[in-house]
Each structure stands twice: as C-alpha cells, then as structure tokens.
Amino acid sequence: MEPEVCMNGLCGALLAAEGDYKKGWALRSGGFANLCDKCGSAYEQLAFCEVFHLDDTGWRECTSCGRRLHCGCIASSAFLELLDNGGVSCISCSSTLGHNPKTREEKTKETGISVENSVGETRSSSIDNHVNVGNLNKIMLTKLNDGEELLIPSENAVASTSQMKLEEYGTTPMSLNGTSESPHAAGIIKYRESTGLKDVYGSLVQTNLTIGLSAAPGKPVLCPSTAVEETELNKTFSSFQQGTWSRHLLPKVPKSILPQGFNANPGMSSQIRVARPPVEGRVKNQLLPRYWPRITEQELQQISGDSNATIVPLFEKVLSASDAGRIGRLVLPKACAEAYFPPISQPEGLPLRIQDVKGKEWLFQFRFWPNNNSRMYVLEGVTPCIQSMQLQAGDTVTFSRMEPEGKLLMGFRKASTSTSLQLMKGSTYSHLSEFSRNVNLPNGDVGWHTNEQLGSKLMAGSFPPSEKKRSRNIGSKSKRLLIESQDALEIKHTWEESQDMLFPSPLQKPSVVTIEDNEFEEYEEPPVFGKGSIFTVCSSGRKSSVSHKPEQNQGYSGIDAQTPSTAEPSAAITTKHPRHRPGCSCIVCIQPPSGKGKHNPTCTCNVCMTVKRRFKTLMLRKKKRQSEHEAKIAEKNQLTCGPPKEDVEVSISVTPHNQLCYTLGHKEVEVGFLDNESSLLGSESTSKGHLDLNIHPHREERDRANGETRVSMMSLLQVANLPLETYLKQNGLTSLISEQQASSGSQTLPQETGETGGGDEEEDDRLGDES
DNA sequence: AGGCTGCATGGACTT
DNA sequence: AGTCCATGCAGCCTA
C-alpha cells in the first residue's frame, strides 16, 4: 500500500502505508497510541504530519478488534480538527481551509480542552491549558492567566522534534497559553500514551507540564516547553533556581485524570504534584529532575500550617529493591548527597540524624564507597526506618530540611498512593506536613509533572520506553509496587496464569483444597511447571471453573511463559544475568531464538548443541533414574503400598505450546520446541524426530486447534527406557550418537551419572566452560 | 549458617 | 567515553 498524503492534501504530510501502522501497538519514534475501548488494545497512531494515516473518513480501525476508532486524543487535538462529518484534518489544513474551529473551541469552553478520544470519552483540560502548537522551531506562548508571558525559545520549542521527548514521561503535552499564536500549527509532538495494558488508566490523559518562571514579573519567562526532556529542563531551570513559586501557574488537572468523584475546582491545581528543582544553586545543574522533590500545592498548603519552621524540600528518591531490601543501605544520588548532606572525606563518613514523619529521629551512617574514581554515597542503617514507614521498593523517600535549624527531614510517599489516590485524598505530603505547619516556599521555579506517572507507572508488563529511565532505577520489583490497586487484578491474573502452568504429578491425584473460595489442587508431589493445571473457583467465587486454555498464555512471551520464573513474574523480570557473557550456555542464555527456520535440526550452533546435549543428558539420567526408581518401587512395594516419592523428580513434559521441557524436582528446564507436525515422543508415523528450536509457541497455538498436546508419563518412561542410541536414531539425533561415542567416558557420562541435584548447573558450567 | 561489609560489575544514562 | 547507580558477591564477622 502506497503512502498517502494528508487527507486534505495541503500540508503535504505523507501518511503511513497501512501496513506500517497495523503491525501492532509497538510504538515507533514519534508515534503514540490510543487504546481501544472495546478490547483495550493499543493501536498505533503516528505523529501527525509525519506519518499519519487516515482513511476516507478519518477513522481508523483497531488493529485488534477491528473497531473503528476516532482519530482524536488530547495530543492529536493539537493538530486535528474534528470535522462534522467525522473526518479529521490537521490544524494547518483546517485553518487553510477555513474550517470553523469553533467545534473544538466550544467543546473546550465546556470542559476545557475537550476532544473525543478513541473511546469516545471526553478528555478535558482547562481552557487555560489550551493546546497550542506553534511552528516547529519557535513558539511563543503569551498571556497566561495572570498576564505573565511565557516564551519558549526555539531551542526549547515545544514542537522541536529533535529535542522534545515527551515520551520520557509518557505524558500528554500541553501548552499554557490561552491563545494560539500560530495558526499554522503543524508541529509534531512526540507523544506516547502508555500502551500495552488493558488498564483503566491507559486511556487517561497524562499531563506533563514543566514551566520555568523567572522571578522578575513582566519579563518574558523562558519556558523550557511543556514537553521537553529532563536535560532540557535542567538547562533551562538553571536560570530560575532563585525564582519563586508561582502557584497561579499551576495547571488544572484534566478531569479525565481525576478519580471519580473528584470534582474539578479552583483548588484542584493544588493537588498537582510538582517537581521542584533544587533550591540551591550548587546543584542546580547536577540534580536530575527525577530527584526533584514533588509536592502538590495542597500539600504545600497543608505544610503551610501554623508552624514557623520553613521546610525546604531537598530531593527525593524512588526506593530501589536494594534500597528497600534488608541490607539497609540506601543509595543516595551522588549529586544530592554532595549537595545536601554534610561533606565527608572519609569513606566511613559520619552519622546523620534525620527526623522521620512521626518526629522520630533516626541515626544513619552517611558514607560513601569509592567507585570508579568516584563515590557512591549510601545511607546505612535505614532498614528500621524504612520498615517503620512500611516502605517498599517503588515508594519514594523525600528529604527535606527544616529551616533555620537545618534539621534533615525524611518523608515518604507510597507508590500505591502517589497517583490517583493521592490526588483524591490530597494528602501525599501529609507525612511531610507533619513536620511543620508553616513553610515558606523556597524560591524556585515551577516545574511540574502533572500525573506524570498516572498510568504509565501502571505498565508493569510493558513499560513504555518513556518510563524506561525511571523504571530502570526501580527495577521490576518497583513495577510491582507501582501498580495501582486496580492492577491487583493484573497480579492476580498473572498468578492465575502461573497457576495454570502447574500440573500435578502424573502419578498422583491431587487433593482439592479450598482457600478463599479458590479451589487449589494440593499435590503430594511437587507440581510440574510448563504443563497445564486446573484452576477452579467455587461457584461462590469469581469464576466457576477454568480449564486449561492455551490462550491464557498469550500474555506471556514465548520465553517467559516457559521458564520457571514465570510463576514469579517479578523475579523473571529482575533477572539481569550480570555475569552472563557471550557464549554463556546457561538455560537463560540459550533460550531458543524465535523465528522458525533459524535453526535446522542439523544445526550445530552452540545453542542447538547445548540443547541436544542436555536432552541427551536428560535421557541418560532419565534412564538411570528410572531403573533406580523401579528398583525402589519394587523394594517399597514389599514394604508399603505408598507411592514412591521420586517419581516426579524428573519428568518430561510437552507444553501446550509444543515446548519440550524436563523437570527436575521443582526445576523446569526448557529443552526446545517440538516441530509443528511432529511429536517428538509420539508415534513414528508423525514424528519427524527432531527438535525445532524455533517454533514460536503462540504461533503454534493458533495453528493448533486441538489445544494442548501432552505426552503421557508412561510413554515418556518408555522412551526413557529405550537405549539411547535407539532413541536418538528414532528421533533424528544421530549426530549425537557419534558425539556421545566420542565423549563417552570422558566428560559427559561421569557427570550424567553423578548427583541429581545441581546436575544441570554442573552441566551448564561445564558447557559454559567449553564454550 | 546467616548476616554484614566493601567492592566489583555492568547496564543505563549523560556528556 | 565517562559517569551513575542498582545489584551481585566474596570475604569477613557473629551468633
């Protein structure tokens, strides 16, 4: 399909070929996505005038459900004129054509900026935050509510595609003036709305406003833009470190982002979380905005009680897993530590008294470690304090200073309440407010990131790149913690899916235990991962009965779904394998690459050979253990009728994805995928007898209407009892025969007959060493 | 054995 | 290329 031109043909923008945007929800640079209200899936909407596809009417189809979606969102509204006939045109075309802008204006007057988005809901914002996009290189925003001017220099222009990276926040750009100075607004705002989860917040507009104000009234105020990256903010804000808070400039929160029942009112802006740039000049260019203390105006007002003390927010930090862990060491941002904490010259540092939200004083050791010719500052002994605050990874600790005493204060903000709940309650900084009832706002600028994390933080399963930066710091554990309460459902779902991957020992029948209306199969033997299990819920519960459905695993990636860690999603994500290097042949590193056809059955690459070796090892081990097992059974049968415990220590399973796994105790190891048409352990008539390392389980899933394919334990045992050579020949692994012969008695066999525990690791290590 | 300490490592990010 | 920082881990300490 040839790229099309903008439907009005005036701006000349090339529109994406259909195939480009229908590939899925994966975002490309400059693109953004909307969520389909029907299926919740995202569809890609490319940056307007860059590549933006409109069909004849300006509607598009959800790539998932086919539902037609309106090309409207708060961002695109900056560019689009929603036509009466349902079509869409960009503002430049619209203005040229003389389209009556009142359509949107009127909507705007009703609810601020009000544009129907893809789901038909009304996204609104204050009219004062009227979207305005000027030309690409220069934007002048004028006449704020109070008459102050905002000037966005060209180098920081909102629409500077080269600099603006709004996706850093996953937010919706908004500018701040009430008049559009640029009738030919055809700027491109790089914008990404969070996608990937069927999240109630996914459709919420996120607003990110960052404004620098000079203290001098009347002067043009440099505004780094409503959407610039942090570095830009840093640069720009450096000019305003000594400015004053300008509460009047706080943007109003779009209704749509507010919790239900939260009515917009003039005080609403007070609840916008503000990232304050550092108040002290010595770090103004060093402290990343992520460490800027964020505080809502309402919180400030709460703090501004009747106390005479002045609270100076210094910085904040999202707790990492390490910070919140039991080690009790809180890594301090270097710049923050050097800026706000006493200077230390010795690694031992010095004790630091910090008062917590309850007024309790804690004594920490503020010290540093030499690190790469630099320093790594830590607060030691924070565990009791963190536990006292019930903080977890993902929560935020805030450091402030009480003036004039200079006492350090430590507040916190729970991740679970840092967004909508806090907006609702407006008590985010209530902890901090306990410090004082009166605060003189430090001179500073306003840099606010309105609900920057609303929604984007929720993308536990698919953090948008915009959150990459922040998520990096907090890791997957933090992702878990950043999940809103509503997303507990997601966790539960994952848990269910994990349950779904358990399968009882084939040799034992599970007993059913009911826990909180959920019926669980209780296994005397450890369940096997990678096989289907039965997860049921009582009739009184939420679900009646859930049998195994391959589709349920669609949410998994091909790898994750089969790895044991899937049962612990966070663990699966946090594994970074820092010690793994190229050539590592551990089971993680040799995950079969996706894409059928990359590996032939005769492929002798490291991955294939390792898999084959392992399979061979498995078979040998299986054979040996089976013979031992049978001997034990015979022995036990003479004494008792109880089933042998060792039965399922080793098992082979074929998942519904045709994935061949073997399980050692609790440990499940993926071997590879069975060829689509073959059953590795099945009948000879259908077996091609080779491992296909590249079949994507989900693709196979779709092709396979029968659902799961399982091999009975007995057949596995039969296979295991076959002479290895026979088996290998049957299954096209003849190459391994010669290999085995070559290596028999030297390396493999002695180890194969060794201890069961750690056998895989031993082999991994050996293979790794070999490689 | 388990906890603690100090350092090393490496990915992510910045310059 | 340099820097930051989250985290792993070896070695030491302690119960």
Side-chain angles (χ1 to χ4, degrees):
Chain A
M1 181 176 176
E2 290 296 319
E4 302 173 11
V5 180
C6 171
M7 63 183 292
N8 286 319
L10 295 176
C11 68
L14 283 180
L15 306 175
E18 184 178 38
D20 289 336
Y21 69 85
K22 283 196 172 179
K23 284 178 180 175
W25 57 267
L27 299 174
R28 68 181 64 188
S29 175
F32 52 90
N34 279 341
L35 295 177
C36 171
D37 65 331
K38 184 177 178 183
C39 67
S41 63
Y43 75 103
E44 186 175 10
Q45 195 171 22
L46 303 173
F48 187 75
C49 288
E50 193 172 4
V51 272
F52 192 88
H53 177 84
L54 302 173
D55 65 15
D56 293 338
T57 62
W59 292 71
R60 303 175 65 180
E61 287 183 359
C62 170
T63 54
S64 264
C65 68
R67 178 170 182 147
R68 293 168 71 79
L69 300 163
H70 199 287
C71 287
C73 71
I74 192 83
S76 60
S77 70
F79 315 104
L80 302 179
E81 200 63 41
L82 304 181
L83 307 178
D84 291 339
N85 62 0
V88 182
S89 71
C90 67
I91 286 179
S92 60
C93 295
S94 174
S95 60
T96 305
L97 291 174
H99 289 155
N100 186 359
K102 281 184 178 180
T103 301
R104 199 178 67 229
E105 286 293 333
E106 290 171 356
K107 293 178 184 176
T108 302
K109 287 182 179 178
E110 293 174 6
T111 58
I113 288 176
S114 177
V115 180
E116 285 182 4
N117 65 4
S118 62
V119 300
E121 73 182 54
T122 298
R123 290 175 170 178
S124 60
S125 174
S126 164
I127 190 170
D128 301 321
N129 300 330
H130 189 141
V131 169
N132 169 45
V133 179
N135 63 47
L136 291 175
N137 298 317
K138 184 178 180 179
I139 293 177
M140 180 170 292
L141 305 176
T142 60
K143 298 300 177 186
L144 293 166
N145 294 353
D146 60 348
E148 280 197 22
E149 286 185 331
L150 287 181
L151 172 64
I152 301 180
S154 58
E155 60 269 23
N156 287 325
V158 170
S160 172
T161 54
S162 62
Q163 297 184 15
M164 185 169 53
K165 294 182 180 177
L166 187 57
E167 59 267 35
E168 284 290 311
Y169 304 94
T171 54
T172 301
M174 296 176 69
S175 59
L176 287 171
N177 73 339
T179 60
S180 173
E181 295 291 324
S182 178
H184 297 281
I188 299 171
I189 288 187
K190 290 189 176 181
Y191 159 72
R192 282 181 185 171
E193 193 163 16
S194 305
T195 61
L197 274 189
K198 300 171 183 179
D199 189 295
V200 293
Y201 291 95
S203 62
L204 295 181
V205 174
Q206 300 168 43
T207 305
N208 180 345
L209 292 174
T210 309
I211 300 174
L213 298 176
S214 76
K219 277 188 174 181
V221 181
L222 284 176
C223 175
S225 86
T226 61
V228 295
E229 54 188 322
E230 288 179 348
T231 51
E232 296 298 327
L233 296 180
N234 257 347
K235 293 174 183 175
T236 310
F237 273 96
S238 62
S239 306
F240 311 113
Q241 298 303 317
Q242 304 306 317
T244 57
W245 275 90
S246 297
R247 301 185 187 188
H248 56 272
L249 284 177
L250 287 171
K252 295 183 174 62
V253 181
K255 284 181 182 178
S256 58
I257 68 172
L258 295 175
Q260 205 170 23
F262 188 88
N263 297 324
N265 55 62
M268 182 168 58
S269 63
S270 67
Q271 301 181 17
I272 293 170
R273 190 158 307 289
V274 176
R276 297 162 171 264
V279 296
E280 296 179 7
R282 57 174 168 161
V283 292
K284 61 188 178 184
N285 285 327
Q286 303 165 9
L287 191 57
L288 292 173
R290 82 180 82 159
Y291 302 125
W292 292 1
R294 290 146 204 268
I295 187 170
T296 68
E297 174 141 325
Q298 180 170 355
E299 292 158 2
L300 283 174
Q301 290 172 350
Q302 289 178 351
I303 297 171
S304 305
D306 44 11
S307 168
N308 290 327
T310 299
I311 293 178
V312 180
L314 299 177
F315 66 94
E316 70 177 38
K317 191 202 175 190
V318 177
L319 291 179
S320 69
S322 300
D323 295 332
R326 294 187 307 169
I327 302 178
R329 297 187 297 204
L330 171 61
V331 176
L332 295 169
K334 184 185 176 187
C336 302
E338 292 181 343
Y340 302 122
F341 287 177
I344 51 178
S345 55
Q346 298 299 318
E348 293 74 24
L350 47 81
L352 209 58
R353 290 186 183 276
I354 301 181
Q355 185 175 311
D356 73 1
V357 296
K358 299 172 183 173
K360 183 177 181 179
E361 268 201 354
W362 299 89
L363 186 62
F364 304 130
Q365 185 73 17
F366 172 57
R367 56 173 307 175
F368 70 87
W369 306 321
N371 195 337
N372 293 335
N373 297 323
S374 180
R375 289 179 173 186
M376 189 170 178
Y377 290 92
V378 293
L379 267 188
E380 292 184 340
V382 299
T383 296
C385 178
I386 285 179
Q387 288 178 344
S388 168
M389 297 176 179
Q390 297 182 321
L391 298 181
Q392 297 173 305
D395 297 335
T396 302
V397 291
T398 62
F399 292 91
S400 307
R401 189 173 57 225
M402 187 182 294
E403 300 291 357
E405 305 98 292
K407 179 183 290 184
L408 287 171
L409 309 171
M410 189 176 178
F412 66 89
R413 191 167 63 240
K414 301 289 285 185
S416 58
T417 59
S418 63
T419 53
S420 61
L421 293 180
Q422 286 186 344
L423 277 172
M424 191 184 303
K425 297 173 182 175
S427 60
T428 308
Y429 250 72
S430 59
H431 313 303
L432 183 58
S433 67
E434 292 181 30
F435 291 143
S436 168
R437 290 296 160 197
N438 188 10
V439 60
N440 299 327
L441 291 174
N443 289 347
D445 323 300
V446 183
W448 58 74
H449 301 249
T450 307
N451 290 298
E452 59 175 317
Q453 290 153 344
L454 195 90
S456 60
K457 274 189 173 182
L458 307 174
M459 301 300 147
S462 59
F463 255 48
S466 58
E467 282 297 313
K468 194 176 180 180
K469 186 176 184 178
R470 218 161 272 135
S471 65
R472 175 187 78 95
N473 294 333
I474 58 181
S476 57
K477 293 179 182 176
S478 300
K479 290 175 185 175
R480 169 181 63 81
L481 291 160
L482 289 170
I483 290 173
E484 292 280 358
S485 58
Q486 289 88 338
D487 292 295
L489 295 174
E490 285 292 330
I491 296 175
K492 180 186 173 185
H493 182 60
T494 300
W495 169 70
E496 291 179 9
E497 289 174 333
S498 301
Q499 288 284 317
D500 199 50
M501 296 188 64
L502 296 174
F503 215 62
S505 163
L507 300 181
Q508 283 205 330
K509 286 185 177 180
S511 56
V512 178
V513 178
T514 302
I515 302 174
E516 294 182 353
D517 295 338
N518 294 316
E519 289 182 2
F520 293 88
E521 290 175 344
E522 186 178 74
Y523 310 137
E524 298 259 341
E525 304 288 344
V528 179
F529 282 98
K531 297 178 177 180
S533 69
I534 307 299
F535 177 81
T536 62
V537 179
C538 275
S539 56
S540 59
R542 277 77 65 183
K543 294 180 180 178
S544 57
S545 173
V546 181
S547 59
H548 181 88
K549 296 177 182 177
E551 296 80 17
Q552 289 180 340
N553 286 334
Q554 285 179 349
Y556 295 123
S557 69
I559 292 175
D560 289 346
Q562 280 86 32
T563 52
S565 57
T566 304
E568 298 172 345
S570 60
I573 302 169
T574 49
T575 302
K576 297 173 73 173
H577 308 293
R579 309 297 177 202
H580 292 205
R581 293 179 175 82
C584 175
S585 62
C586 81
I587 196 62
V588 175
C589 295
I590 67 161
Q591 295 289 352
S594 61
K596 189 174 183 177
K598 283 186 179 177
H599 294 258
N600 295 320
T602 57
C603 177
T604 57
C605 74
N606 184 43
V607 171
C608 293
M609 292 310 295
T610 303
V611 170
K612 289 175 182 176
R613 282 169 195 254
R614 285 187 178 158
F615 191 75
K616 178 186 66 179
T617 300
L618 163 71
M619 299 312 297
L620 288 170
R621 193 177 297 154
K622 184 79 181 177
K623 178 182 176 182
K624 177 177 179 293
R625 194 161 301 127
Q626 180 61 25
S627 61
E628 295 174 352
H629 169 65
E630 288 174 349
K632 287 182 181 178
I633 290 178
E635 186 177 330
K636 285 184 179 180
N637 284 341
Q638 295 177 348
L639 302 174
T640 174
C641 294
K645 291 286 184 182
E646 292 79 2
D647 281 2
V648 294
E649 270 192 21
V650 178
S651 65
I652 306 174
S653 62
V654 179
T655 70
H657 310 305
N658 277 358
Q659 182 197 23
L660 179 67
C661 303
Y662 65 86
T663 306
L664 302 174
H666 295 278
K667 217 167 186 179
E668 185 235 30
V669 179
E670 172 189 337
V671 176
F673 296 108
L674 299 180
D675 197 348
N676 189 24
E677 291 81 82
S678 67
S679 171
L680 177 63
L681 304 174
S683 65
E684 286 189 25
S685 60
T686 58
S687 173
K688 291 184 178 177
H690 62 262
L691 294 173
D692 188 333
L693 302 174
N694 304 298
I695 290 180
H696 193 285
H698 302 318
R699 188 167 60 234
E700 293 307 303
E701 229 171 56
R702 291 191 293 269
D703 297 338
R704 188 176 292 274
N706 292 335
E708 50 194 281
T709 297
R710 264 190 220 111
V711 179
S712 72
M713 196 63 183
M714 288 310 297
S715 65
L716 294 176
L717 294 178
Q718 288 171 3
V719 171
N721 281 326
L722 290 173
L724 178 62
E725 292 79 6
T726 303
Y727 170 77
L728 294 176
K729 285 178 180 176
Q730 285 181 357
N731 294 280
L733 300 175
T734 52
S735 62
L736 292 177
I737 296 178
S738 56
E739 182 184 318
Q740 186 214 5
Q741 290 171 346
S743 61
S744 63
S746 59
Q747 274 187 316
T748 306
L749 285 178
Q751 292 202 23
E752 311 309 1
T753 57
E755 288 294 316
T756 300
D760 295 321
E761 286 75 16
E762 290 170 10
E763 189 184 36
D764 290 348
D765 293 339
R766 180 176 55 81
L767 293 171
D769 293 338
E770 287 175 359
S771 64

